[in-house]
Each structure stands twice: as structure tokens, then as C-alpha cells.
Amino acid sequence: MVGYHVSDANSYIVVTGGGVEDVKIVKKAWVYPWQKANVISISPFDFEIALQAMTIEKLQFSLPAVFTIGPDDEPSALRKYAMLLTGNADGTPASRGATPTQTGRAHVQTIVKGIIEGETRVIVSGMTMEEIFKERQMFKTKIIENVQTELDQFGLKIYNANVKELQDTPGSEYFQFLSRKAHEGASNQAKVDVANARMIGEIGEAEKRGRTRQEISKIDAQTAVLETQRKSEKATADAELSTTQTKLNMQIKLAQIQASRQAESRDAELQRDVETKRAEMELERMRATDLVQSKIKRESAQQVADAKFYTDTKGADGTLYKQKQDAEAAYYRATKEAEATFFAKKKEAEGITEMARAYGQMATVLGGPQGLLQYMMLQNNTYEKLAKANATAINGLQPKISVWTTGAEGAADASAPIRNLFQSLPPLLSTVQEQTGILPPSWMAQMQPQVDAAALVKNGKNAIVNGDGGRH
């Protein structure tokens, strides 16, 4: 039914369809045409079972029990219950909008009954009949725990479980015999209890009569003793009264004497206190006089100190004000100088920027940075300065230069390259010897003794040793 649905206090609305993932369980909801809504009740229901089971001793018995079971009011449990147990036993959906009743839960009861019977038989098969009787609470707890574990998968909860008295199955008289045995035992025990009670009554009656006579005699003796004690106590009390009276009279006299002595002592103390107070008053008067004089001197000194402090304070204030003015003037002067320096540097930077811009335009006119560099070197006489620097650098040097040739007349000879190579070795080794003083190894060449190059030039001799047409 389309519309706004509200469930009862003991019910929930289960919504399925478009816009709902799986199922939605709520107390109130809007239901649209593309959705379905069913109502599930969470009210617990009771059902009875009479289970026939067999103990480990192979004794059969009937176990009547009443279980109160219903859906657990938890979101996950309600989800399981709504998905697994709602609807009819044949799988058809329940009537829309109808409130489920106990008759509509017949298939749920069938499932629960099967679970209870199975778990109970498992537990009973591992226990003796004596254990079932003596440990009734533990037996009940085991059944509830095992059944609840199985019911959790359906979202159900056991609210209460009542296991009744065990009964005999048809053809079995086990519990009847036990009952008869218990009845006979109780009857015999009752007879014994009656005889014991009668015996206890007679003995008690005799004890009461004897105890009564004993108590009467004891009371008479105690009465006589008490009369004697009372007389003795009275005589003692009279003697104590006389003694106490005497002591009181003596204490009264002593108190009177002590009071007189205390009065005299108190009078002396008061006289001493009066003299002490008089001396203290005189001392305070003298102290007050000295205090007034000291106060006058202190106030005079305080005024002089205050005047000096005021003079020093004003002088310090004046000095501080002058120093402050000088500092402000120095700060103002430094600030202005810094501003002037900043302005000059700024203008200098602007001039450099303009010069750079002009140099850039000149570089464009002169064909690039290389042309500008050559122009600047010409303007600053850089080439002349470099020439002078090079001349100054080599001034005073006397380099020794040797030049030799092997001639060209043998160019057509096929062995000329090899001959030229060997012809070039003597002048090369000679030059190394002249310039470094190092002689070649003896196996390479035999050099003539070094001669003076100036003498060779002067005499016009050939300086190349073993050479064909070598000339200087």
C-alpha cells in the first residue's frame, strides 16, 4: 500500500523494492509504488513440547517444557528474521498490511521445535538420570545455551525456558517406582521423627521439672546471700560516710586557709603589677619623647634628601632631554645623508643603465658585441697597451732559434722521404744538445763535440752535421 506507514510499538515495517538495498527495517517510512512493505511483530510467543529422550543409561523419559521465544530486538537479528522467517510456510508472502499472529508463525514454531528437540537429545544422551535430577539448573542452562546458538542464525532469542518435571514414557514405570520409594522412605522417616519427638518431649518435661526445683533452691540461697551482703554494704557505707564527713571538714578548713593565703598573695601581686605598670608608663613617656625628637630629625633629613633628589632628578632629566635631542639630530642628519647617498647611487645606476642601453644600440649598429668590443678597444687604446705589454714582457730575452732544411732536389727520388728523415735527425739532436745539454744515447747517434754557434756563423760553415744541402 502506497503512503506513509507507522508500525505499532511491538512491530517493525520491512520495506523492499526500488531505492532499498536488500531490506530496510524501520518504525515508520514512506512507501512508494515501486516498493513493498510488510509488518513483522517482535512479540515473543510460547509453545509447549513433550520431548522423549534417552539418557546415557538407555532410560527413556518424557521431558515437558515451555519456551518463550521471539525475534531479538537488534538490527542484525531483525534483518535475519525478516529475510528468513517472514511469510507463510509454503514460501508465499504474507498478506500486505496484516499483523502476524501466533497462528501465522506455525512454520517458525516448527523450526524452533526441531532445534530444541535436536539439542536437548544431544545433551541428554551424554548425561545420567541422576545427573539430570541433581544438576537440574545446569541441565536447563546447557539446553538454553545450545538452542540459543542455533537460533542466532534466524534472529530469534529465548526469553524464558521452563523445564517441567520428568515423566515416564508409555510402558516405563521408572519415575513411578522412584516416587513410591520416596513415599515409603518419607513415611518411615515420619514414624521415626514422631517417636523421636515423643521421646524428646518426655525427656524435656522431666528436665523442666528438675530444673524448676533447682532454680527455686538457687533463688532462695541467692536471696539469703544478698540480704547478708546488703547489711554488710550498709555498715560499710555508714563508715565511709563518717570518714567522708571528716575529710570534708578538714578540706573546708584547708580551703579557708588557702583562700586567705591566696588573697594575700594576690594583693602582693597586684601591688607589684601597679609598680610595674608605673615604671612601664615612665619608660613609654621617655621613649615617646625620644621618638618625637627622632621623628623630627628624620623628617628634616627626609626633606633635605627629597630636595636633593628633586634637584638631581631635574638635572638628570635635563641631561637626558639634551642627549635625546642630540640623538634625534644625529639620526636626522644620518637619515638625510643616507637618503642623499641612496639618491646619488640611484642616479648613478640609472646613468649606468642608460649607458648600457646606449652600448646595446651601438652593438646593434656595429654589427654585434664583437664590433662593439673592437670599437671600445680602439677608443681606449687597448691594442697599443697590449703591444707595449708584450714588448715589455719579452724585453731582454735572447731566444736561440735554429732553422734547417733538407733540400728539394731529391723530390723525384723514391727513397727521398727516408733519406730526408735521417738527414733531419742530426740537426734535431744537435739543437736539443745546444738548448738542454742532453746527449742522445750512443746506440742512436754519435754527436760531434759542441761547437760555438757564433764561430760557425762567423766562419760561414754549415751547422748541420751529415746533411746534404742543409743551410742556416
Side-chain angles (χ1 to χ4, degrees):
M1 183 181 294
V2 179
Y4 189 72
H5 290 244
V6 179
S7 67
D8 295 332
N10 64 337
S11 302
Y12 280 93
I13 300 173
V14 181
V15 181
T16 59
V20 178
E21 183 179 357
D22 207 354
V23 295
K24 180 172 69 175
I25 301 175
V26 292
K27 282 286 187 181
K28 53 184 180 295
W30 282 99
V31 179
Y32 301 100
W34 55 85
Q35 295 176 339
K36 289 184 179 180
N38 291 321
V39 178
I40 60 173
S41 175
I42 61 172
S43 298
F45 52 90
D46 298 334
F47 66 92
E48 298 182 3
I49 62 170
L51 174 66
Q52 292 185 1
M54 182 180 294
T55 65
I56 194 173
E57 303 161 329
K58 301 299 186 292
L59 296 176
Q60 290 187 352
F61 65 94
S62 178
L63 177 65
V66 178
F67 285 84
T68 302
I69 298 176
D72 194 357
D73 193 10
E74 293 291 336
S76 59
L78 290 173
R79 184 182 184 87
K80 294 177 182 178
Y81 179 74
M83 295 179 65
L84 299 176
L85 299 180
T86 55
N88 298 322
D90 56 358
T92 60
S95 299
R96 186 179 300 179
T99 302
T101 61
Q102 188 169 359
T103 58
R105 296 175 174 175
H107 66 292
V108 178
Q109 294 185 3
T110 302
I111 295 173
V112 173
K113 183 178 179 181
I115 293 173
I116 294 174
E117 288 180 352
E119 294 299 327
T120 305
R121 285 195 177 97
V122 170
I123 295 173
V124 170
S125 64
M127 299 178 68
T128 64
M129 188 65 71
E130 190 69 19
E131 290 175 348
I132 295 174
F133 269 103
K134 290 184 178 180
E135 301 178 2
R136 179 69 61 86
Q137 185 62 35
M138 185 186 72
F139 175 63
K140 176 182 175 181
T141 302
K142 281 185 177 181
I143 293 176
I144 294 175
E145 290 178 353
N146 290 10
V147 173
Q148 183 62 59
T149 302
E150 296 296 327
L151 293 180
D152 286 341
Q153 60 184 329
F154 297 103
L156 296 174
K157 177 182 178 181
I158 299 176
Y159 288 93
N160 185 36
N162 184 16
V163 179
K164 298 182 179 180
E165 292 296 331
L166 305 181
Q167 300 177 1
D168 287 322
T169 59
S172 175
E173 297 180 355
Y174 179 79
F175 293 109
Q176 184 177 355
F177 290 148
L178 287 180
S179 177
R180 190 179 303 169
K181 176 183 177 182
H183 179 73
E184 294 295 336
S187 178
N188 295 331
Q189 185 64 37
K191 293 178 181 179
V192 173
D193 292 340
V194 169
N196 287 333
R198 186 180 294 112
M199 179 186 66
I200 292 171
E202 293 176 356
I203 294 173
E205 184 180 359
E207 288 179 352
K208 292 297 181 182
R209 286 196 299 269
R211 187 171 296 176
T212 300
R213 289 195 297 269
Q214 292 175 5
E215 291 296 331
I216 291 172
S217 301
K218 187 185 294 185
I219 291 171
D220 292 340
Q222 290 177 353
T223 302
V225 171
L226 288 174
E227 288 179 354
T228 303
Q229 289 178 352
R230 295 293 178 270
K231 291 178 181 179
S232 176
E233 290 175 355
K234 184 176 181 300
T236 303
D238 293 339
E240 290 179 353
L241 177 62
S242 300
T243 303
T244 303
Q245 187 67 37
T246 303
K247 290 181 179 179
L248 288 174
N249 293 331
M250 182 180 63
Q251 291 177 357
I252 291 172
K253 292 180 180 179
L254 290 175
Q256 291 176 351
I257 295 171
Q258 289 178 357
S260 176
R261 296 292 183 271
Q262 289 178 355
E264 294 176 356
S265 175
R266 182 61 180 166
D267 182 62
E269 290 178 357
L270 291 176
Q271 290 294 334
R272 185 176 66 254
D273 292 341
V274 169
E275 295 298 331
T276 302
K277 294 294 183 182
R278 185 178 293 111
E280 290 178 354
M281 290 177 60
E282 182 65 20
L283 179 61
E284 292 297 330
R285 186 186 65 78
M286 295 174 65
R287 286 179 178 176
T289 302
D290 295 339
L291 180 62
V292 170
Q293 294 178 356
S294 300
K295 187 175 182 180
I296 294 173
K297 292 179 181 179
R298 182 178 63 81
E299 290 179 352
S300 300
Q302 182 67 35
Q303 291 179 357
V304 172
D306 290 343
K308 186 176 182 304
F309 173 75
Y310 180 78
T311 302
D312 295 342
T313 302
K314 290 301 180 181
D317 291 341
T319 304
L320 178 63
Y321 180 76
K322 182 176 181 303
Q323 292 177 354
K324 183 178 180 181
Q325 293 297 325
D326 294 342
E328 290 179 354
Y331 171 75
Y332 180 78
R333 181 168 59 254
T335 302
K336 291 302 180 180
E337 290 177 356
E339 290 177 354
T341 304
F342 172 75
F343 183 76
K345 294 293 183 181
K346 182 178 180 181
K347 291 301 181 180
E348 183 180 352
E350 291 176 355
I352 293 172
T353 303
E354 293 298 329
M355 289 178 64
R357 188 177 295 110
Y359 283 143
Q361 294 176 358
M362 289 178 65
T364 301
V365 173
L366 296 174
Q370 188 65 30
L372 177 63
L373 179 61
Q374 294 176 359
Y375 174 77
M376 296 297 295
M377 292 177 71
L378 291 173
Q379 287 291 109
N380 296 324
N381 297 325
T382 304
Y383 291 110
E384 296 179 3
K385 294 178 181 178
L386 288 175
K388 290 181 180 180
N390 290 334
T392 303
I394 64 174
N395 187 24
L397 296 180
Q398 296 179 358
K400 188 173 183 179
I401 301 172
S402 299
V403 180
W404 64 87
T405 180
T406 58
E409 59 275 9
D413 190 358
S415 61
I418 299 175
R419 185 176 62 253
N420 293 335
L421 175 63
F422 280 94
Q423 288 178 353
S424 64
L425 286 176
L428 176 61
L429 296 175
S430 176
T431 302
V432 171
Q433 180 184 8
E434 290 176 357
Q435 295 186 3
T436 63
I438 298 174
L439 292 174
S442 59
W443 55 267
M444 181 180 292
Q446 292 294 330
M447 299 298 296
Q448 293 181 357
Q450 186 175 3
V451 297
D452 186 49
L456 291 176
V457 173
K458 181 177 181 181
N459 297 326
K461 295 181 178 181
N462 192 346
I464 300 176
V465 181
N466 297 328
D468 272 345
R471 297 183 301 272
H472 277 286

